[in-house]
Amino acid sequence: MIGYRPDIDGLRAVAVLPVVLFHARIAGFEGGFIGVDVFFVISGYLITGLLLDDLRQERFSILRFYERRIRRIFPALFVVFFFCLVVAYEIFLPLEFEKFAKSLLAATFFSSNVLFWFESGYFDAPSELKPLLHTWSLAVEEQFYIFFPIFLFVIWRFARSRLIPITASILVLSFLIGVWQVRVEPSGAFFLPPARIWELMLGALLAMGAVPRFGGATVHQAASVLGLGLIAWGVFAFSPQTSFPGESALFPCLGAGLLIYSGGWHQSLVYRILATKGMVFIGKISYSLYLWHWPLLVFANYYAVRELTALETASIIAVSLALSAASWRYVESPFRGRQPILRRPALFALAGSAMSATAALALVVAVGDGLPRRVPAEVVQLANGATDKDPGRQKCENRSPWQIRNRVMCLVGAQGAGEPSFVYWGDSQAEAYFAAFGEAAREAGRAGWYATRPGCPSLFGVSLTKPGFNEICVALGKEVEDLIADSHSVNTVFLASAWSLYATGQRYAPEKGPDVLIRDERTVEPSLAENRRVFREGLERTVKRLHELGKKVVIVASAPEVGWYVPSVLALAKWFDRPLDIRPRREDFLARQTSVFQQFREVQERYGVQVVYPHEPLCNSEYCEVSRDGKSLYYDFTHLNSAGNRVVKDIFGPVL
């Protein structure tokens, strides 16, 4: 049996504190998310140790195992669920409340990681709107522990001598899956169990005694220092842009493994630091701290309708620590220990009741569209801008290279207008003009192919460096080129993309997120400086090729970026009576577009390209509009919705 080790409680503190500081956006802790991986290794070690002890004592019981998991997980978790439900009811707009309810339902049944994976698309809502986002890690653990006790029992019963080799084989397979998946489908690698199982299995192998004792005190001192250093390297050297988990997860996981291993044989200096009262206390409350800190940060940011100040952030962390200590003492502890307050039958009944009640409340909110009657009508109207999109758009957008090749595309514009006379090509910015462009084409009596895909610039040979985009964007561009070259009826090509984002690589403040780096076949090391070259040469190459094909080229410039999640911010500012003006200044917009507009002028002079400017009907001499007649003109940070389309529609008429 694995006896109590205070250093492992201290290791829990090492795991949870970087996560809290990362979520609070404390400078220097950009890699703090790796604390979750440390937790996985600890969990694999402790749970396996308990199960092996039961097997050796011939008292293994699935019911007993899940009783312990319920006592450990459920009390604090469902208190946090109830708290989040009450606060979300009070301050969340209907759309956010509906999404929260869906995440609450998924988290109740430990499947929120699957939901967040499904939601991790191009237009996913910011993480700041998801109070239960952090429950993905609990879901991964519980999904693993559905099968692991059975696996361990079967191997113990029928192939005990092969337990370590079989476990090691699963570890290697899972690690290889993670290395592959982080390159082809990084969100799946992050959220789903296959790429994470090896981290739990690493802890399991340590509990199985797969690594025998070797060396003396000096070796174990060195191992503990190296282990702490590997975790520290991940915390301070990694960032959200680091490809993760994959190979990068080796640093925190091997670090945690070395600390667990060395602490089992020798009380090194690092062991003694981890075993101090302060570290042990943080470790004991780490589960509650993990549960509480993120919803508090989300709700505080949401209610403030702005970035929190340093003092506000520090206050939230302090409140999280206090709540966690109270939660550990008065919620967690009574259900655990030698004399817990409930016996097994009552515990199971209470757990089932809590799950049923939470699921029922979540369903009421989800089916009720976020209960909009809670909110003033004028606030709801502003918030509804987030879903104000042309209903026909969804079936036409997000084309694949195969669909372009096989002409599985929408013909937009006038019905019965004959052969397509144009190709409309672009990314999500192009999709945002669907209603305006389609109506203008109908009025002009023209029809054409609609070829768009989010994240793929309408530039031949250019793509994002983000995993999963490079090959598909380049292939899409090649298929669009072939489509244009093969179609004799097409005489005009419209290019619409997030030009300033690609040219600069940087988002318009205060929008958060990593830099957007692009590449072409000449790119060796993507960078912001490289973006300028790739954009300049890509625009020249694309327009020149289309000119050679005898096609007229029309560039649709970018609409003003706002940097705020416009519908929600406008609605919340009105609801909470916040004096907040998020309109971008015209001079700031033009300054951001300086190099882009210069490139447009150059291709205009050389190839006779036409350019239309969506900002012109949106901006006066000082500001650019984000709302009109009590309605948001955007559905997110930068994309126009149907109301915005009505404002800019007339810019397309002259070129159609």
Side-chain angles (χ1 to χ4, degrees):
M1 177 180 179
I2 297 174
Y4 174 68
R5 285 178 49 184
D7 64 309
I8 290 183
D9 268 334
L11 184 56
R12 284 193 174 109
V14 170
V16 75
L17 290 175
V19 173
V20 173
L21 296 174
F22 165 70
H23 284 157
R25 297 204 177 114
I26 304 301
F29 289 87
E30 285 78 9
F33 56 86
I34 60 95
V36 173
D37 304 84
V38 175
F39 274 126
F40 283 158
V41 178
I42 295 171
S43 180
Y45 174 74
L46 294 176
I47 296 298
T48 303
L50 290 170
L51 288 169
L52 287 175
D53 184 56
D54 285 350
L55 287 167
R56 292 186 185 106
Q57 301 295 326
E58 297 185 351
R59 61 184 184 190
F60 176 83
S61 165
I62 289 291
L63 285 179
R64 186 164 182 259
F65 173 78
Y66 282 112
E67 177 188 354
R68 286 191 299 226
R69 296 305 295 166
I70 289 170
R71 292 188 185 279
R72 171 65 173 156
I73 299 296
F74 275 48
L77 181 64
F78 279 88
V79 168
V80 170
F81 282 172
F82 180 73
F83 167 82
C84 290
L85 184 61
V86 171
V87 177
Y89 177 89
E90 291 294 332
I91 70 171
F92 265 15
L93 295 166
L95 181 60
E96 278 84 46
F97 195 34
E98 179 185 354
K99 289 182 177 179
F100 164 78
K102 292 176 180 177
S103 70
L104 178 60
L105 185 63
T108 299
F109 295 101
F110 298 100
S111 58
S112 60
N113 62 323
V114 178
L115 174 68
F116 295 134
W117 170 57
F118 274 119
E119 290 181 348
S120 61
Y122 190 81
F123 294 111
D124 183 24
S127 60
E128 290 84 356
L129 298 179
K130 298 178 178 180
L132 299 179
L133 180 63
H134 62 326
T135 63
W136 73 267
S137 62
L138 297 179
V140 168
E141 275 202 52
E142 297 315 306
Q143 289 160 16
F144 175 74
Y145 289 128
I146 290 174
F147 303 104
F148 185 65
I150 299 171
F151 159 81
L152 205 57
F153 173 77
V154 171
I155 300 301
W156 184 268
R157 184 76 177 271
F158 299 106
R160 189 177 310 181
S161 62
R162 298 179 183 176
L163 177 60
I164 290 175
I166 293 173
T167 303
S169 299
I170 296 173
L171 182 152
V172 171
L173 177 61
S174 170
F175 177 73
L176 293 176
I177 289 173
V179 169
W180 167 77
Q181 195 173 22
V182 80
R183 288 165 170 76
V184 299
E185 215 283 287
S187 61
F190 189 89
F191 284 116
L192 301 181
R196 297 281 191 173
I197 285 175
W198 72 270
E199 302 178 9
L200 291 131
M201 287 299 197
L202 176 59
L205 283 172
L206 290 170
M208 294 172 186
V211 184
R213 182 175 185 177
F214 63 91
T218 302
V219 171
H220 295 296
Q221 288 274 15
S224 65
V225 172
L226 177 59
L228 191 60
L230 289 173
I231 294 174
W233 174 261
V235 170
F236 299 117
F238 290 1
S239 74
Q241 286 73 57
T242 302
S243 182
F244 200 87
E247 303 98 311
S248 300
L250 283 170
F251 289 90
C253 292
L254 290 179
L258 284 169
L259 287 170
I260 292 170
Y261 171 77
S262 63
W265 300 108
H266 179 71
Q267 294 188 8
S268 64
L269 175 62
V270 174
Y271 178 102
R272 293 195 295 273
I273 293 172
L274 293 177
T276 57
K277 289 183 178 180
M279 294 294 286
V280 169
F281 178 73
I282 296 296
K284 287 182 180 297
I285 69 169
S286 61
Y287 174 59
S288 282
L289 181 57
Y290 183 77
L291 290 179
W292 279 106
H293 81 280
W294 177 246
L296 291 176
L297 286 167
V298 169
F299 289 136
N301 271 288
Y302 189 84
Y303 185 72
V305 202
R306 58 167 172 76
E307 288 284 339
L308 296 178
T309 66
L311 179 59
E312 289 168 338
T313 299
S315 299
I316 294 297
I317 293 174
V319 170
S320 299
L321 286 166
L323 272 175
S324 302
S327 176
W328 171 71
R329 174 66 179 85
Y330 298 108
V331 178
E332 289 188 64
S333 297
F335 286 88
R336 302 169 64 195
R338 295 182 178 180
Q339 293 183 324
I341 60 174
L342 294 178
R343 298 179 68 84
R344 182 184 294 172
L347 178 75
F348 278 35
L350 181 61
S353 299
M355 294 179 73
S356 299
T358 305
L361 290 170
L363 282 171
V364 168
V365 177
V367 173
D369 299 323
L371 309 182
R373 292 185 180 180
R374 301 171 297 118
V375 185
E378 62 272 21
V379 174
V380 173
Q381 180 172 263
L382 283 167
N384 284 344
T387 56
D388 180 24
K389 302 177 187 178
D390 188 296
R393 170 182 155 177
Q394 187 173 4
K395 71 179 190 310
C396 295
E397 61 192 12
N398 198 22
R399 298 297 90 176
S400 69
W402 180 90
Q403 288 173 313
I404 302 294
R405 184 185 318 125
N406 292 280
R407 309 299 188 259
V408 184
M409 296 179 292
C410 290
L411 271 175
V412 296
Q415 297 295 319
E419 292 293 313
S421 64
F422 63 80
V423 170
Y424 181 77
W425 176 32
D427 59 7
S428 62
Q429 279 290 338
E431 294 177 349
Y433 302 122
F434 178 85
F437 187 84
E439 185 174 347
R442 285 191 294 274
E443 291 177 357
R446 296 184 64 181
W449 297 114
Y450 189 79
T452 64
R453 186 178 184 87
C456 287
S458 49
L459 299 172
F460 294 141
V462 175
S463 69
L464 270 65
T465 58
K466 186 177 178 181
F469 280 84
N470 185 36
E471 294 80 5
I472 200 164
C473 289
V474 172
L476 187 81
K478 179 60 179 171
E479 295 298 341
V480 170
E481 181 181 2
D482 291 344
L483 168 69
I484 294 167
D486 294 343
S487 179
H488 300 295
S489 62
V490 169
N491 54 42
T492 308
V493 178
F494 292 85
L495 307 176
S497 288
W499 304 115
S500 58
L501 181 62
Y502 299 136
T504 67
Q506 296 176 311
R507 300 171 191 272
Y508 185 79
E511 183 184 356
K512 306 174 187 70
D515 292 337
V516 177
L517 302 181
I518 57 176
R519 64 179 303 142
D520 60 15
E521 61 180 9
R522 292 180 53 203
T523 299
V524 177
E525 186 65 34
S527 66
L528 296 179
E530 179 72 354
N531 266 42
R532 291 191 287 273
R533 179 198 66 78
V534 174
F535 175 76
R536 182 181 65 253
E537 294 181 5
L539 182 65
E540 168 74 20
R541 178 171 58 251
T542 302
V543 173
K544 181 180 179 181
R545 174 58 176 155
L546 294 174
H547 183 73
E548 291 171 348
L549 291 171
K551 311 300 181 182
K552 173 185 174 182
V553 178
V554 179
I555 295 175
V556 183
S558 300
E561 299 155 293
V562 185
W564 299 84
Y565 201 79
V566 179
S568 294
V569 170
L570 291 176
L572 291 171
K574 189 171 189 65
W575 193 11
F576 302 150
D577 195 23
R578 301 282 194 270
L580 186 64
D581 187 354
I582 64 172
R583 293 177 298 170
R585 295 178 62 85
R586 181 188 179 98
E587 63 180 284
D588 293 338
F589 166 75
L590 293 176
R592 180 168 165 82
Q593 303 294 324
T594 299
S595 64
V596 174
F597 285 179
Q598 176 61 34
Q599 299 299 319
F600 289 170
R601 284 191 291 271
E602 291 179 9
V603 293
Q604 279 181 290
E605 293 171 2
R606 282 198 290 272
Y607 303 108
V609 169
Q610 287 185 269
V611 183
V612 295
Y613 296 96
H615 78 276
E616 291 179 343
L618 287 165
C619 303
N620 57 33
S621 60
E622 191 172 0
Y623 291 101
C624 300
E625 287 185 89
V626 294
S627 65
R628 182 178 288 186
D629 301 326
K631 295 182 179 180
S632 171
L633 301 181
Y634 291 76
Y635 63 76
D636 62 4
F637 299 91
T638 184
H639 299 92
L640 295 174
N641 59 17
S642 294
N645 271 247
R646 288 191 287 274
V647 175
V648 303
K649 180 183 75 72
D650 290 342
I651 67 171
F652 295 110
V655 292
L656 280 163

